[in-house]
Amino acid sequence: MAPGLIAELTARGETVGVAESLTGGLVVATLVDVPGASAVVRGGVVAYATPIKHEILGVDAELLDAKGAVDPEVARQMAAGVRIAMSVDGAPATWGISTTGVAGPDPQDGMPVGTVFVGIASANGAEAYELHLDGDREAIRHATVSELLARMSSTLRGRE
């Protein structure tokens, strides 16, 4: 999935920034494993601690206080915020993608293990997708990466 996504972004001359919580850097690591990724991957922010989502990515503090980190709007704001955070010469990344959720072993913010939201943002706005994943902590984290990259690839195909 990652090689095709990198190839498509390269062909389009587009860039991506990554904001991760439960995946802890797995998304950006998966992308940069692909030769040539440096042409499109601007970088990433591991916003594992909830306050970092606000301080670095600009997620609304009142939203975080009211809903916690496991929320679709948090995923949208993380994706939109990382586009800006990964600006070069004043130009945001073309795309921002994000992960937030509960990998376990315990529920978080009233959400059961396996509840995950991934976000995809461009200059046209941001979307969030809810996932319900099974397995242990490692399986949930890896499935999140796969689902996000698949949804990003589908988003690009939809804009052809």
Side-chain angles (χ1 to χ4, degrees):
M1 185 67 55
L5 180 56
I6 294 296
E8 184 65 25
L9 288 168
T10 301
R12 293 168 173 259
E14 296 177 345
T15 58
V16 64
V18 184
E20 303 183 63
S21 187
L22 81 149
T23 49
L26 286 175
V27 175
V28 78
T30 299
L31 291 172
V32 301
D33 275 347
V34 178
S38 62
V40 298
V41 177
R42 290 260 178 102
V45 173
V46 177
Y48 202 65
T50 298
I52 299 301
K53 292 170 181 65
H54 170 69
E55 295 293 331
I56 304 296
L57 299 172
V59 176
D60 183 86
E62 291 178 9
L63 171 66
L64 291 167
D65 287 343
K67 299 284 189 168
V70 185
D71 181 80
E73 183 59 24
V74 171
R76 280 189 284 274
Q77 289 187 24
M78 287 175 67
V82 80
R83 285 187 64 239
I84 305 306
M86 295 298 124
S87 292
V88 173
D89 295 329
T94 312
W95 296 96
I97 57 178
S98 68
T99 67
T100 189
V102 187
D106 300 314
Q108 178 184 336
D109 299 329
M111 297 291 203
V113 172
T115 303
V116 175
F117 295 95
V118 296
I120 299 174
S122 71
N124 296 323
E127 295 293 329
Y129 304 92
E130 184 171 356
L131 310 174
H132 296 279
L133 304 171
D134 294 316
D136 63 12
R137 184 175 173 79
E138 182 178 357
I140 290 168
R141 292 173 72 226
H142 284 278
T144 299
V145 174
S146 296
E147 288 288 332
L148 174 57
L149 297 183
R151 288 177 188 270
M152 182 64 198
S153 292
S154 177
T155 297
L156 288 176
R157 283 193 303 274
R159 297 204 177 191
E160 292 178 325

